[in-house]
Amino acid sequence: MTMILRSLISALIGTVCLTGITAPHIARAQEPAARVTAAQQSAPNFAGITKWFNSQPLDIADLRGKVVLVDFWTYGCVNCVNTLPHVVALDAKYRNRGLVVIGVHTPEFPFERSASNVQAALKRHGISYPVAQDNESQTWNAYRNQYWPAQYIIDQNGHIVFHHDGEGQYEQIDRTVARLLNANS
């Protein structure tokens, strides 16, 4: 019976991530999966972060002059886990050229709130870039984020210039980061 229950729970978690079900406190919008942000809104600062991993606390204003990739994820979401190798690779490829990758771990389920569980996930996935633990979804809400995973690219002036929800668009994300870094060279 326990094995069946675990299988059902795993299937449910996978379905929640795969179907793009949003956090219960956020209304769902009908938007494309990837888009260049036309208005180039200023990136919100990190809010309500309960713990920082691999870094001292960061502030968006202090990152001006850098290209920043903010990656919203949670370790219990299969789609998020599928994107992590690509995010880790971007960090390795562009870190020394001015890219700052910041993971924002926003839990969907109570067990994902545990700092030790998040730390174990960072080790398991080889994540060495800064990760903010957003247990109260305050940074999630500041970005008006709605999906796991979601990537936001912020230019050197602190503006969101690209946003993508879900898996995929890896080449477009890479090209956008490379273009921004080359523009500053």
Side-chain angles (χ1 to χ4, degrees):
M1 182 69 168
T2 304
M3 185 70 142
I4 293 171
L5 184 56
R6 284 185 191 160
S7 295
L8 288 172
I9 290 171
S10 292
L12 177 61
I13 290 171
T15 301
V16 167
C17 291
L18 287 171
T19 58
I21 294 175
T22 61
H25 55 282
I26 304 292
R28 186 180 191 143
Q30 300 300 321
E31 299 183 57
R35 62 190 175 279
V36 175
T37 305
Q40 291 196 343
Q41 68 192 43
S42 291
N45 199 16
F46 305 105
I49 301 303
T50 56
K51 181 166 179 61
W52 283 90
F53 300 91
N54 304 328
S55 174
Q56 294 297 318
L58 297 173
D59 187 289
I60 285 291
D62 293 338
L63 296 170
R64 292 276 166 88
K66 303 273 189 188
V67 175
V68 180
L69 172 66
V70 175
D71 179 46
F72 284 91
W73 68 291
T74 186
Y75 71 82
C77 171
V78 69
N79 299 89
C80 297
V81 171
N82 289 343
T83 64
L84 290 177
H86 303 282
V87 177
V88 169
L90 275 174
D91 177 57
K93 183 175 181 179
Y94 294 114
R95 177 183 287 209
N96 293 332
R97 292 185 50 203
L99 176 67
V100 177
V101 175
I102 300 171
V104 178
H105 185 274
T106 307
E108 183 174 14
F109 299 106
F111 65 87
E112 295 171 322
R113 295 174 172 272
S114 163
S116 62
N117 288 351
V118 175
Q119 183 67 56
L122 299 180
K123 184 176 180 182
R124 186 170 54 250
H125 298 290
I127 297 171
S128 61
Y129 52 80
V131 174
Q133 189 171 355
D134 185 27
N135 278 353
E136 301 304 318
S137 303
Q138 290 183 31
T139 297
W140 171 286
N141 291 333
Y143 277 76
R144 297 183 176 169
N145 192 51
Q146 299 178 49
Y147 305 99
W148 292 276
Q151 299 82 33
Y152 294 80
I153 298 175
I154 302 164
D155 70 9
Q156 294 90 333
N157 297 314
H159 296 111
I160 298 171
V161 296
F162 181 86
H163 171 207
H164 172 69
D165 297 314
E167 293 184 52
Q169 300 294 323
Y170 305 121
E171 289 179 15
Q172 187 174 6
I173 292 168
D174 189 298
R175 281 193 308 270
T176 302
V177 168
R179 179 181 50 78
L180 290 169
L181 292 172
N182 287 335
N184 203 35
S185 298

